[in-house]
Amino acid sequence: MTTDQNNITILDRCSSVLPYWLPLLEGLQNFGQQILPDYPFSIMNLYKKTLMPLVIFYVTHPALAFVTFFVLYYLFVRAKSPVPDRPFIRFNVLQSILLFLINSLLGAIFRALPIEFRVSVYGLMLCNTLFWFVLLTIFYSVGKSISGQYAKIPVISQAVRIQIDNQ
């Protein structure tokens, strides 16, 4: 994958940012709801006004993530996709799907831990670390997408490239 920015249009850049809403909402559901109330009031107030309504909608419609996942996969990832081949968008869609799956797995593992651990200082530290991992990988990927570059997240981006090269 080359990082030739001349072939990446503004539409490609904007379109490649949209799929990252899926792992962002999953991460906020899994980790943000538990730790954000402990953050300063200004951050919590900003969250309540901007992202919380989306997270509430996401949580109350659990089939939404499932349907979105398969629609993204069908439209952009499959070898015989109905959408014209746009490598930059395809890379970012596949990376966002992988981030979503990792967030889902980490959230399931965290919820499977004993409640005593999850509410302890160590559990909150783990939750906070997972929350920031989710946020920073998504913000990094979105920033790279906006600038027309391929994000290089260790292991994750390599897995995406392997998947794309095999099709």
Side-chain angles (χ1 to χ4, degrees):
M1 305 229 168
T2 61
T3 56
D4 183 16
Q5 293 178 331
N6 296 334
N7 295 336
I8 301 171
T9 66
I10 297 294
L11 182 62
D12 288 348
R13 294 176 191 201
C14 293
S15 299
S16 68
V17 168
L18 294 176
Y20 288 105
W21 278 101
L22 188 61
L24 177 65
L25 292 174
E26 183 71 15
L28 288 171
Q29 173 194 353
N30 288 332
F31 311 113
Q33 291 180 337
Q34 184 167 347
I35 62 164
L36 280 174
D38 295 334
Y39 277 71
F41 180 74
S42 58
I43 293 174
M44 189 59 189
N45 201 21
L46 179 66
Y47 169 72
K48 282 183 179 178
K49 290 180 181 176
T50 56
L51 295 173
M52 191 172 192
L54 293 172
V55 173
I56 290 171
F57 181 79
Y58 181 80
V59 169
T60 56
H61 297 84
L64 179 68
F66 183 73
V67 170
T68 304
F69 172 84
F70 280 107
V71 166
L72 287 173
Y73 183 82
Y74 177 77
L75 291 178
F76 296 101
V77 178
R78 286 181 348 130
K80 296 181 180 183
S81 169
V83 177
D85 188 31
R86 307 296 299 178
F88 187 69
I89 295 174
R90 189 172 184 210
F91 174 87
N92 283 291
V93 167
L94 192 52
Q95 185 159 274
S96 70
I97 287 173
L98 195 54
L99 286 171
F100 167 75
L101 292 173
I102 290 169
N103 288 340
S104 298
L105 180 64
L106 291 174
I109 291 170
F110 186 77
R111 284 188 303 276
L113 295 172
I115 187 74
E116 295 82 15
F117 176 77
R118 285 185 286 160
V119 297
S120 72
V121 172
Y122 298 113
L124 292 176
M125 285 173 38
L126 177 62
C127 187
N128 212 353
T129 302
L130 293 172
F131 173 74
W132 284 106
F133 166 76
V134 168
L135 241 53
L136 292 176
T137 54
I138 292 169
F139 287 158
Y140 168 75
S141 299
V142 166
K144 287 292 191 176
S145 294
I146 291 170
S147 67
Q149 299 174 347
Y150 289 89
K152 295 177 183 168
I153 303 169
V155 180
I156 296 171
S157 297
Q158 293 165 341
V160 169
R161 286 198 173 101
I162 289 169
Q163 175 66 27
I164 290 175
D165 290 344
N166 286 339
Q167 290 186 354

